[in-house]
Amino acid sequence: MVYFFDNKVILISAVIYVIIIVFLKLFFKKKVTFYIFFTLMYLYINVAIKYTQFPIYNDEFQRSVLGPFSIEKNFNFVPFKDFLNTSSLYNIILAVPFGFLMPFLTKTNFPRILLMGIGFSSILEGIQALVGMAVGYSARTIDVNDLICNTMGAMIGYGLFVIFRKLVKKFFQTTPDNEI
């Protein structure tokens, strides 16, 4: 059996989104801009899950081809081993929105975004490991380089946010020439 990020998963995600929004509206006083950026972050997380976790193969043929799940085969703990490749670039790009959107949702600074980027990437890699252990094999490698690249992407995203914030402040700055 193969599990895809299909309509069922999207429906479940939509229900979870509605529950979270109702909870936030009932218990927290947030501005409309918060909900806009929360929605963008929620959509981004769904896309990240789609591309890092799916498809999930759970059948005997795949198990016989890929062999059993093992730390030696399915984990890479060696940093920068086979580092500069397309996968590294994709992992960097994947995490840029995280670093850019997170400051709109919570107060952040460089160290907090660094820790959040490491945490987010660790969760994605951890879920890959758990799914591999649950089905008995994995077509994916749980890789320390993915963690490094995702964290780099989050930091790049945060850098873009800082630049964006400065540009917005400069653009909307009130000066004596444009006062009413």
Side-chain angles (χ1 to χ4, degrees):
M1 174 169 254
V2 180
Y3 300 98
F4 293 99
F5 195 91
D6 59 6
N7 291 337
K8 286 184 258 181
V9 176
I10 292 169
L11 179 63
I12 292 167
S13 177
V15 169
I16 292 169
Y17 171 78
V18 170
I19 291 168
I20 292 170
I21 290 296
V22 168
F23 177 80
L24 288 172
K25 285 221 175 243
L26 288 174
F27 297 105
F28 298 96
K29 304 278 190 233
K30 297 289 184 181
K31 295 180 181 179
V32 172
T33 53
F34 173 86
Y35 292 106
I36 291 169
F37 285 105
F38 178 82
T39 300
L40 291 173
M41 180 62 95
Y42 193 82
L43 291 171
Y44 158 72
I45 288 171
N46 275 272
V47 169
I49 289 170
K50 175 182 179 179
Y51 287 108
T52 62
Q53 308 301 320
F54 289 89
I56 299 170
Y57 298 96
N58 188 13
D59 60 36
E60 288 303 319
F61 175 74
Q62 289 289 336
R63 196 172 285 109
S64 67
V65 170
L66 296 172
F69 186 86
S70 70
I71 290 177
E72 298 84 26
K73 184 180 78 169
N74 294 103
F75 284 80
N76 173 33
F77 295 112
V78 181
F80 308 111
K81 177 183 172 191
D82 301 323
F83 186 68
L84 295 175
N85 57 37
T86 308
S87 177
S88 298
L89 180 62
Y90 289 155
N91 277 295
I92 291 169
I93 292 169
L94 174 78
V96 169
F98 181 86
F100 184 80
L101 292 171
M102 191 54 76
F104 290 103
L105 300 177
T106 185
K107 290 188 185 274
T108 57
N109 54 28
F110 185 85
R112 282 188 76 188
I113 286 291
L114 178 67
L115 292 174
M116 287 182 206
I118 292 169
F120 180 65
S121 182
S122 297
I123 289 168
L124 292 176
E125 293 295 311
I127 292 171
Q128 286 178 353
L130 290 173
V131 168
M133 286 186 265
V135 297
Y137 70 96
S138 179
R140 301 183 183 278
T141 301
I142 294 74
D143 194 341
V144 69
N145 293 317
D146 293 352
L147 181 73
I148 293 167
C149 290
N150 290 152
T151 304
M152 286 172 50
M155 300 316 307
I156 291 168
Y158 181 69
L160 293 172
F161 168 79
V162 170
I163 292 167
F164 174 77
R165 181 179 59 195
K166 286 180 181 182
L167 291 173
V168 167
K169 282 183 179 180
K170 185 173 183 162
F171 183 76
F172 289 106
Q173 181 180 29
T174 304
T175 62
D177 294 339
N178 64 6
E179 286 186 43
I180 297 176

